[in-house]
Amino acid sequence: MRYKSEVDALAEHVEEVIEILISHMDEEDLINLHAIGVGICQRVAEEFKERLKLREIL
């Protein structure tokens, strides 16, 4: 995994930022943050599926 350390560092930073945000958010903000998180997860899942398809073709 070429970017493991970068991904780990980003994940740690994102977790810290989310903790700060959550502590100041109301319910509507939390719903919006959840929707953003779901969108990101879906995008990563789609990319993963595409790469698996390409690997099967090759």
Side-chain angles (χ1 to χ4, degrees):
M1 187 170 174
R2 284 186 285 178
Y3 297 103
K4 183 175 181 357
S5 61
E6 289 87 348
V7 170
D8 289 345
L10 177 62
E12 185 176 322
H13 182 69
V14 168
E15 286 178 24
E16 291 172 7
V17 170
I18 288 174
E19 287 298 322
I20 293 167
L21 286 173
I22 287 173
S23 68
H24 294 90
M25 290 181 157
D26 62 17
E27 189 174 311
E28 185 177 343
D29 293 329
L30 289 172
I31 291 169
N32 290 332
L33 181 61
H34 177 266
I36 291 167
V38 168
I40 291 169
C41 290
Q42 287 174 338
R43 175 65 182 101
V44 171
E46 289 169 6
E47 182 65 26
F48 184 69
K49 287 178 190 175
E50 285 299 315
R51 291 184 186 196
L52 285 178
K53 286 179 191 174
L54 288 174
R55 191 178 297 168
E56 289 174 2
I57 291 170
L58 299 175

